[in-house]
Amino acid sequence: MQIPLAPYAVGETNSRGRQVCEAAPSARSEFQRDRDRIIHCSAFRRLEYKTQVFVNHEGDLFRTRLTHSIEVAQIGRSLARSLALNEDLVEAIALSHDLGHTPFGHAGQDALNDCMKPHGGFEHNLQSLRIVDQLEERYAEFDGLNLMYETREGILKHCSLPNAHKLGELGQRFIEKQQPSLEAQLCNLADSIAYNNHDVDDGLRAGLLTLEQLEHVEAFARHSAAVRARYPALAGRRLIHETVRRMINAQAVDLIEQTRANIDANGISTLDDVRSASALVAFSPAMGRELQQLQQFLRDNLYWHYQVLREMSKARRIIADLFELFMADTRLLPPQYQAMARDDKARSIADYIAGMTDRYAMKEHRRLFSLADGK
């Protein structure tokens, strides 16, 4: 059953539409068409082999960018339905928000940004937009996917001011310090809910975190205690899954309640009201403090764990080596990127490297730097 949208939600009547006009779809909404285009694009399929925290070859059960994007979409749709927002738009944003991520997660992004600093830098949100606006080649009448304005707006969560000035209407909100739609704001926090809680799960699975450590983290400890009180015999993976499930639910419920209160307190009745207000989708102050402690714990004990840092050090070296080699000789690039490099060498190399999966980047590095593997 379709729930009527709130008056401040994004719909087809208050949307700013597509860059290239197209006939309206006959059997789906405009935002469903966006979602379908994203799912069928090449960059989306590559997310299966791009890392979340653990490099892709380390195990089949760890999250990848693809499974993470699906989890964000699931959480986002549930939140959107409770708030009477546009579920299809939320799903489209969630499924596309990581399309521009490099191989090897944030380490790869940082390394590529270091390489690109003399050439305008590298921002993964901007790269996601570049993919859906330019790099995907699937349609006869336009480059990219020609997505709706509000989908593109949600993809571009962050943007530096120099880049915002180059983006026309889409960059204007960063210049004027306005907010995106509630759907875009919601996806940002659905992303946070997904990765915080699932990084706990993956960290425990990898043996880099322990239950004893997590008992000192309020966001985990209070739900773990409730689970143990109700199910005294529960242990192992079931205890972890039940605890993480409750963590996600508590954060989702808190976000819904706080966001409703913010909407009411600010007298929001239109999409224009949303854009001119301060951020409305939020956790309560108490939940915010709890999540800040969880994020600090994950940074200190998982993201900065020496085993993770060792793998990330290798990843940064792979990215830097590839970039330096291609800058020195673009003839080593595949033909498509050689042609692109005639117009903008550094950006074309960044496009090529950012589009690699973890496995492909490692294989390409071996091909180009190892005498033992010239395939």
Side-chain angles (χ1 to χ4, degrees):
M1 177 180 174
Q2 181 67 41
I3 297 175
L5 294 179
Y8 40 76
V10 172
E12 294 187 14
T13 56
N14 61 2
S15 169
R16 298 183 189 180
R18 302 183 188 278
Q19 290 180 294
V20 179
C21 291
E22 298 183 62
S26 58
R28 53 186 173 168
S29 75
E30 293 283 9
F31 295 104
Q32 287 172 331
R33 176 155 66 178
D34 277 7
R35 175 205 59 203
D36 297 346
R37 287 180 174 180
I38 291 159
I39 287 173
H40 288 284
C41 79
S42 300
F44 183 75
R45 292 195 297 276
R46 287 196 294 268
L47 294 179
E48 181 178 4
Y49 297 108
K50 290 195 178 189
T51 194
Q52 185 69 10
V53 172
F54 301 93
V55 176
N56 186 267
H57 70 280
E58 292 177 350
D60 292 335
L61 296 177
F62 298 125
R63 265 82 180 181
T64 66
R65 289 284 168 193
L66 180 61
T67 58
H68 169 70
S69 296
I70 294 170
E71 289 167 346
V72 175
Q74 178 269 318
I75 293 170
R77 287 201 71 128
S78 297
L79 296 171
R81 176 162 290 219
S82 294
L83 292 166
L85 301 177
N86 189 325
E87 292 181 52
D88 296 324
L89 171 56
V90 166
E91 186 174 30
I93 296 170
L95 293 174
S96 58
H97 80 284
D98 271 353
L99 291 179
H101 254 296
T102 63
F104 312 124
H106 290 289
Q109 175 185 292
D110 291 344
L112 191 53
N113 184 46
D114 286 342
C115 294
M116 286 293 292
K117 277 181 180 174
H119 314 284
F122 180 88
E123 301 175 17
H124 84 264
N125 290 290
L126 203 59
Q127 186 69 13
S128 296
L129 184 68
R130 182 170 165 80
I131 286 168
V132 301
D133 280 359
Q134 300 176 49
L135 297 181
E136 282 289 333
E137 298 178 331
R138 304 186 64 83
Y139 300 95
E141 297 186 358
F142 47 80
D143 292 332
L145 305 180
N146 195 34
L147 301 180
M148 297 288 279
Y149 174 90
E150 291 76 18
T151 306
R152 296 168 62 236
E153 174 186 58
I155 290 171
L156 195 63
K157 291 193 297 187
H158 310 290
C159 182
S160 64
L161 281 178
N163 283 322
H165 282 284
K166 301 174 187 176
L167 292 174
E169 183 183 20
L170 197 65
Q172 202 61 32
R173 74 176 176 88
F174 297 99
I175 298 166
E176 297 177 356
K177 300 190 184 328
Q178 290 195 324
Q179 297 297 324
S181 68
L182 286 173
E183 287 84 356
Q185 295 180 44
L186 184 151
C187 277
N188 197 15
L189 292 189
D191 184 25
S192 175
I193 292 173
Y195 70 68
N196 280 332
N197 291 285
H198 295 146
D199 285 354
V200 168
D201 186 25
D202 279 351
L204 288 166
R205 185 186 296 277
L208 303 183
L209 301 178
T210 67
L211 289 173
E212 289 73 24
Q213 286 176 304
L214 282 159
E215 293 301 338
H216 299 285
V217 181
E218 180 62 24
F220 185 92
R222 66 187 179 93
H223 295 293
S224 175
V227 171
R228 292 175 192 274
R230 183 164 182 180
Y231 307 103
L234 203 62
R237 296 302 304 168
R238 288 198 182 198
L239 172 64
I240 294 167
H241 286 313
E242 184 65 24
T243 301
V244 171
R245 182 182 71 81
R246 289 173 180 235
M247 290 169 65
I248 292 172
N249 183 68
Q251 291 164 32
V253 169
D254 180 271
L255 182 145
I256 290 166
E257 292 175 351
Q258 185 64 49
T259 300
R260 282 177 178 156
N262 292 345
I263 290 169
D264 290 343
N266 285 273
I268 304 299
S269 59
T270 68
L271 181 54
D272 285 339
D273 291 341
V274 171
R275 296 191 184 283
S276 59
S278 57
L280 297 165
V281 180
F283 296 109
S284 68
M287 181 62 75
R289 288 189 294 271
E290 195 173 277
L291 293 178
Q292 189 173 25
Q293 184 200 22
L294 174 61
Q295 289 164 353
Q296 182 67 50
F297 170 84
L298 288 171
R299 184 162 50 250
D300 293 344
N301 296 279
L302 181 60
Y303 309 143
W304 291 351
H305 192 286
Y306 82 95
Q307 290 179 246
V308 173
L309 290 177
R310 284 180 177 183
E311 292 304 310
M312 294 303 100
S313 176
K314 295 177 193 176
R316 284 191 290 270
R317 188 165 64 252
I318 289 172
I319 298 293
D321 285 349
L322 290 173
F323 187 88
E324 182 180 356
L325 185 66
F326 293 137
M327 283 293 285
D329 189 351
T330 58
R331 294 173 300 174
L332 300 176
L333 290 166
Q336 172 192 356
Y337 291 94
Q338 288 185 40
M340 292 167 59
R342 295 188 193 109
D343 296 324
D344 189 337
K345 181 167 73 169
R347 187 60 58 186
S348 300
I349 292 169
D351 288 339
Y352 179 48
I353 293 174
M356 294 178 179
T357 64
D358 293 15
R359 294 178 184 182
Y360 185 86
M362 289 186 285
K363 187 174 181 180
E364 185 79 330
H365 191 269
R366 285 195 301 270
R367 279 195 293 249
L368 291 165
F369 288 92
S370 173
L371 292 175
D373 186 1
K375 297 179 181 178

